[in-house]
């Protein structure tokens, strides 16, 4: 049973539109992360969270917002989507006691036209 | 910023051969993690090696850590086609909850 799930798995959006990517984890981990993955760039951290109500900026937060309404859920919001945000987005959860080993979801492929 | 990096973009081997992926990093770390990402999936951890450890094994996988040269390696013996994936190293710095990721090495295991 998958412990980190993401929805939608695929999304096509228009430039200037709002996009919300959702992540749910059943690991009961405090920490959650949003990454984007592009060829040649590996995994880049967008936002992360230490728990419900907290969001922190990662390495590339511009153009993205995050929301952590509960321990289980972490959303990534693109208020005004641009073609440069076309990418594969991964959510992960992690816990301090294991050197923040991260458990990843299956990814969401986002295309902004 | 990428403080960790694998030393090869891509490797190709035949089934049954051994292969090593190398990683170097540029700051003091508390642990080094190796992840594997198969096509269409998210990364999954293979091995975690702490800064006071020199070697860690997990089945056909062996990770080493050399803190003096700030480098790590992941060796896979008796490779199988299902080992085809991208391999990442990721470094823990202090108690920071953010991992520092390498760009990944693509490994193809041919029949």
């Amino acid at each position: 049973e998958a412990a980190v799930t993401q929805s939608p798995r695929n999304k096509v959006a228009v430039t200037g539109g709002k996009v919300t990517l959702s992540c749910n984890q059943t690991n009961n981990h405090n920490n959650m992360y949003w990454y984007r993955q592009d060829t040649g760039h590996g995994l880049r951290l967008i936002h992360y969270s230490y728990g419900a109500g907290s969001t922190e900026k990662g390495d590339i937060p511009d153009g993205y917002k995050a929301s952590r309404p509960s321990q289980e859920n972490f959303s990534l919001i693109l208020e005004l989507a641009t073609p440069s945000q076309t990418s594969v987005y991964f959510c992960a959860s992690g816990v301090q006691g294991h050197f923040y080993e991260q458990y990843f979801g299956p990814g969401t492929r986002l295309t902004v036209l | 910023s990428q403080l960790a990096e694998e030393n090869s973009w891509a490797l190709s081997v035949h089934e049954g051969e051994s292969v090593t992926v190398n990683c170097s990093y540029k700051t003091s770390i508390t642990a080094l993690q190796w992840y594997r990402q198969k096509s269409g999936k998210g990364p999954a951890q293979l091995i975690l090696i702490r800064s006071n450890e020199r070697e860690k094994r997990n089945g056909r996988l062996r990770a080493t850590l050399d803190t003096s040269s700030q480098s790590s390696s992941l060796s896979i013996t008796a490779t199988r086609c299902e080992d085809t994936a991208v391999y990442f190293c990721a470094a823990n710095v202090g108690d920071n909850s953010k991992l520092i990721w390498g760009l990944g090495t693509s490994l193809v295991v041919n029949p």
Side-chain angles (χ1 to χ4, degrees):
Chain A
E1 185 176 335
V4 180
T5 56
Q6 295 182 231
S7 62
R9 294 295 314 279
N10 290 280
K11 173 75 176 179
V12 178
V14 295
T15 298
K18 181 177 181 178
V19 177
T20 300
L21 306 182
S22 299
C23 178
N24 177 275
Q25 58 110 351
T26 57
N27 295 320
N28 197 31
H29 289 163
N30 288 337
N31 289 19
M32 295 186 75
Y33 308 82
W34 275 108
Y35 295 91
R36 63 177 286 176
Q37 185 173 39
D38 305 284
T39 303
H41 290 279
L43 290 162
R44 292 185 289 175
L45 182 65
I46 307 170
H47 284 288
Y48 61 107
S49 167
Y50 293 119
S54 106
T55 60
E56 305 290 334
K57 293 181 179 179
D59 299 321
I60 54 163
D62 293 347
Y64 302 93
K65 292 183 179 179
S67 173
R68 182 87 181 271
S70 65
Q71 176 85 337
E72 296 79 19
N73 295 296
F74 191 36
S75 297
L76 185 68
I77 303 149
L78 291 67
E79 295 277 5
L80 295 169
T82 69
S84 65
Q85 294 175 313
T86 293
S87 186
V88 179
Y89 291 85
F90 287 98
C91 174
S93 71
V95 63
Q96 181 177 11
H98 295 266
F99 286 90
Y100 300 107
E101 172 187 355
Q102 295 184 11
Y103 295 79
F104 284 80
T108 293
R109 182 172 296 278
L110 173 65
T111 302
V112 182
L113 302 176
Chain B
S1 62
Q2 294 289 344
L3 298 182
E5 57 186 21
E6 298 82 4
N7 294 347
S8 298
W9 283 105
L11 297 169
S12 179
V13 298
H14 288 100
E15 250 190 329
E17 295 178 340
S18 298
V19 66
T20 297
V21 180
N22 295 302
C23 168
S24 57
Y25 53 91
K26 301 176 182 177
T27 188
S28 179
I29 66 171
T30 50
L32 195 291
Q33 305 185 32
W34 284 97
Y35 286 76
R36 175 174 63 192
Q37 183 179 25
K38 294 192 174 184
S39 180
K41 308 286 188 184
Q45 192 200 68
L46 297 172
I47 289 181
L48 180 149
I49 184 164
R50 294 172 170 78
S51 59
N52 62 351
E53 297 176 316
R54 292 296 167 258
E55 179 180 303
K56 201 79 168 284
R57 292 179 184 267
N58 179 6
R60 295 181 294 112
L61 308 176
R62 173 178 172 261
T64 65
L65 182 64
D66 184 340
T67 52
S68 62
S69 64
Q70 296 190 317
S71 64
S72 175
S73 69
L74 176 70
S75 297
I76 308 173
T77 58
T79 53
R80 304 167 181 167
C81 288
E82 53 261 41
D83 293 326
T84 293
V86 177
Y87 291 80
F88 292 95
C89 63
N92 290 84
V93 178
D95 194 38
N96 197 315
S97 63
K98 300 191 298 180
L99 298 181
I100 309 299
W101 292 83
L103 297 180
T105 292
S106 174
L107 171 66
V108 174
V109 181
N110 299 294

